[in-house]
Amino acid sequence: MPVSSSIELSTGDKACLLDLIWQVIDQGLTRGRLVLPQPPESEALLTPAACFVTLHKAGELRGCIGRVDASDPLWQCACENAYSAAFKDRRFAPLQDDERDALSLEISILSPLVPIDNQGEGALRSTLRPNVDGLLMDDGQRRALFLPSVWQSLPAPRDFVDALKQKGGWPQDYWRDTITLHRFTTEVISS
């Protein structure tokens, strides 16, 4: 049942990825648009991967955007998500120059998605591994995802699933046999 990222990143790869993301954010502040840096030489960073980039300002969420498909190289996916988290997350105004110094970021590299048999909400809650599993819930009309880091603020499986349903726009008592479920883990790189 353990799921892990299929990419092995060295300390140098992680530092390079963080540097690329900060370049994208700084270029976004300066030029007002996405400017991708030159691709890195690292084989690992050129490997297709899914990821999310989360921005925090003084410890509070400031933006989070990601993708679950591993269609682009990790460095490109992370850079595009970082730009979107900084300037296009609809929950926040676009990032401003005076916020830059208070920012920290996390890159969450997703493992492959692993299907979970939908045997009801109670069964789902009993199989979730707090602080390990991320969860993607999809009913064909709506879709919602929580990264494993969300367990820090919602440590009980019932609260985790209820909040995910709320995020997806479903009523609290919503459940259907047609819901598809996927679990995943993440490797987190922080700055």
Side-chain angles (χ1 to χ4, degrees), residues 121-122 124-126 128 130-131 133 135 137 144-148 150-168 170-172 175:
E121 187 173 353
L124 170 66
R125 289 194 307 259
S126 71
L128 285 175
N131 300 309
D133 288 332
L135 181 62
M137 185 172 157
L145 177 144
F146 272 162
L147 295 170
V150 173
W151 288 105
Q152 294 168 20
S153 56
L154 297 167
R158 175 181 295 276
D159 296 337
F160 188 87
V161 173
D162 285 350
L164 182 61
K165 289 194 294 184
Q166 181 180 11
K167 178 183 180 185
W170 294 290
Q172 189 168 3
W175 197 264

Side-chain angles (χ1 to χ4, degrees), residues 18 34 76 86 101 113 128 132 135 175:
L18 288 168
L34 173 61
Q76 182 181 339
D101 291 340
L113 299 177
L128 285 175
V132 175
L135 181 62
W175 197 264

Side-chain angles (χ1 to χ4, degrees), residues 3-162:
V3 210
S4 63
S5 173
S6 54
I7 299 176
E8 293 291 327
L9 296 177
S10 69
T11 303
D13 291 334
K14 294 174 185 179
C16 178
L17 189 57
L18 288 168
D19 182 57
L20 292 171
I21 287 176
W22 285 118
Q23 286 179 47
V24 165
I25 290 172
D26 290 339
Q27 288 291 326
L29 287 168
T30 305
R31 296 186 181 188
R33 62 185 173 87
L34 173 61
V35 179
L36 286 176
Q38 289 295 321
E41 294 181 15
S42 163
E43 193 87 16
L45 296 180
L46 294 172
T47 303
C51 74
F52 278 69
V53 175
T54 305
L55 301 177
H56 291 96
K57 177 183 164 192
E60 296 294 319
L61 181 66
R62 180 59 180 82
C64 181
I65 300 286
R67 298 197 316 240
V68 296
D69 65 303
S71 56
D72 292 321
L74 172 57
W75 78 271
Q76 182 181 339
C77 183
C79 286
E80 290 172 354
N81 291 339
Y83 179 83
S84 294
F87 302 103
K88 296 187 179 256
D89 188 325
R90 289 178 281 183
R91 298 170 292 179
F92 302 94
L95 187 70
Q96 300 298 308
D97 285 326
D98 62 353
E99 298 179 279
R100 168 61 168 87
D101 291 340
L103 280 186
S104 62
L105 64 85
E106 289 180 352
I107 308 159
S108 299
I109 304 167
L110 277 61
S111 69
L113 299 177
V114 175
I116 302 172
D117 287 336
N118 181 349
Q119 298 177 352
E121 187 173 353
L124 170 66
R125 289 194 307 259
S126 71
T127 62
L128 285 175
R129 300 170 299 172
N131 300 309
V132 175
D133 288 332
L135 181 62
L136 173 64
M137 185 172 157
D138 187 335
D139 76 352
Q141 302 293 318
R142 299 171 189 250
R143 180 179 190 172
L145 177 144
F146 272 162
L147 295 170
S149 59
V150 173
W151 288 105
Q152 294 168 20
S153 56
L154 297 167
R158 175 181 295 276
D159 296 337
F160 188 87
V161 173
D162 285 350

